[in-house]
């Protein structure tokens, strides 16, 4: 009766291009876009290439950094990230960001990355992740066999995405408590009120994964990264 054979296809080129140069390619040290404070991002139809900085914490192609609810209204849509030296899009301590219709290809480490476990209300919809590479110098141990979609808090919307050629397509490392990164000197008492392990699932629906080590892995009580 035949075997269904389908491939994921994504257009990588855009008219607006943010890219590293030949030196970036040699050193694996490319550019980054970071939103901090009350920063907003409205990114559409943009190509990012030769970006991110290999092995450097916090230096990702697109990085929402500790915005909290100020992430509301920010989005990255219909854009591409290819040949990234350090992840694809990182949402760190930020809520209510929309990532929709993006295509990523050839990234080192986890690609769509929710970092601490306190990120909620974000929407990851109709994105495509193709080819993630492991690294001998991981930021977290799991980067040795990287994940296309790393979702640390259940209270997010993950709908209609596709992932191929990753260590794991979708991984929910569910922490007992958030694990802070880059918060030296901050009062973190508010994190004591957050328990991803006991947070109801938002939405996980219509996602596809294949050609990966495993497709969906939910790990309750994840202890450390």
């Amino acid at each position: 009766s035949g075997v269904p054979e389908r491939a994921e296809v994504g257009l990588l080129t855009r008219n607006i291009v943010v890219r590293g140069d030949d030196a970036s390619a040699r050193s694996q040290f490319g550019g980054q876009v970071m939103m901090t404070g009350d920063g907003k991002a409205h990114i559409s139809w943009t190509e990012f290439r030769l970006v991110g900085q290999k092995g450097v914490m916090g230096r990702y192609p697109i990085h929402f950094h500790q915005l909290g609810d100020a992430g509301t209204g920010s989005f990255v849509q219909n854009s591409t990230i290819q040949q990234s030296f350090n992840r694809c899009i990182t949402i760190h301590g930020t809520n209510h960001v929309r990532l929709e219709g993006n295509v990523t290809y050839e990234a080192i480490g986890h690609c769509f990355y929710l970092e601490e476990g306190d990120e909620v209300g974000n929407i990851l919809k109709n994105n495509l992740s193709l080819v993630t590479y492991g690294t001998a110098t991981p930021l977290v141990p799991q980067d040795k066999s990287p994940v296309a979609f790393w979702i640390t808090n259940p209270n997010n919307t993950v709908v209609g995405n596709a992932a191929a050629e990753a260590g794991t397509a979708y991984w929910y490392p569910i922490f007992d408590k958030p694990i802070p990164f880059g918060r030296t000197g901050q009062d973190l008492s508010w994190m004591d009120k957050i328990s991803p392990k006991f947070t109801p699932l938002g939405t996980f629906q219509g996602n596809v994964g294949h050609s990966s080590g495993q497709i969906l892995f939910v790990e309750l009580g994840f202890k450390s990264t």
Side-chain angles (χ1 to χ4, degrees):
S1 61
V3 177
E5 296 185 12
R6 298 177 176 87
E8 307 298 341
V9 178
L11 178 65
L12 289 173
T13 57
R14 299 290 188 269
N15 289 333
I16 302 171
V17 181
V18 178
R19 60 160 293 165
D21 58 12
D22 292 341
S24 298
R26 290 191 298 270
S27 63
Q28 296 187 311
F29 190 92
Q32 58 162 335
V33 177
M34 180 189 290
M35 280 58 67
T36 63
D38 294 327
K40 299 289 186 183
H42 295 167
I43 300 173
S44 298
W45 298 103
T46 302
E47 174 186 342
F48 296 84
R49 183 161 19 114
L50 299 172
V51 285
Q53 299 169 9
K54 185 178 179 180
V56 183
M57 185 72 75
R59 298 298 182 257
Y60 316 119
I62 301 176
H63 182 190
F64 295 90
H65 181 70
Q66 298 181 12
L67 301 179
D69 288 339
T72 302
S74 285
F75 59 80
V76 182
Q77 62 186 17
N78 301 317
S79 296
T80 70
I81 299 173
Q82 57 178 309
Q83 296 173 281
S84 168
F85 307 124
N86 195 2
R87 311 206 186 289
C88 300
I89 301 176
T90 293
I91 299 178
H92 175 195
T94 301
N95 308 322
H96 308 299
V97 171
R98 177 167 56 87
L99 309 180
E100 183 171 0
N102 302 295
V103 179
T104 68
Y105 177 63
E106 293 189 330
I108 294 175
H110 300 333
C111 189
F112 292 89
Y113 183 68
L114 276 62
E115 189 161 355
E116 291 183 324
D118 55 1
E119 300 87 4
V120 299
N122 298 290
I123 298 173
L124 287 72
K125 182 177 181 181
N126 296 339
N127 301 288
L128 171 58
S129 172
L130 292 174
V131 187
T132 56
Y133 294 121
T135 173
T137 55
L139 296 182
V140 297
Q142 293 74 22
D143 282 325
K144 294 179 180 179
S145 181
V147 178
F149 293 85
W150 176 268
I151 311 296
T152 53
N153 191 299
N155 187 17
N156 291 280
T157 297
V158 184
V159 174
N161 302 284
E165 295 198 46
T168 299
Y170 305 89
W171 190 332
Y172 280 74
I174 306 303
F175 307 159
D176 292 330
K177 295 291 183 182
I179 300 175
F181 288 95
R183 292 184 178 273
T184 302
Q186 296 184 28
D187 179 4
L188 302 180
S189 59
W190 58 273
M191 282 192 176
D192 295 335
K193 302 176 183 179
I194 300 174
S195 178
K197 185 175 181 179
F198 295 102
T199 298
L201 180 67
T203 303
F204 184 90
Q205 183 177 4
N207 301 293
V208 173
H210 56 80
S211 307
S212 299
Q214 56 186 352
I215 304 306
L216 174 62
F217 184 39
V218 178
E219 185 176 5
L220 294 176
F222 188 89
K223 295 299 183 184
S224 75
T225 54

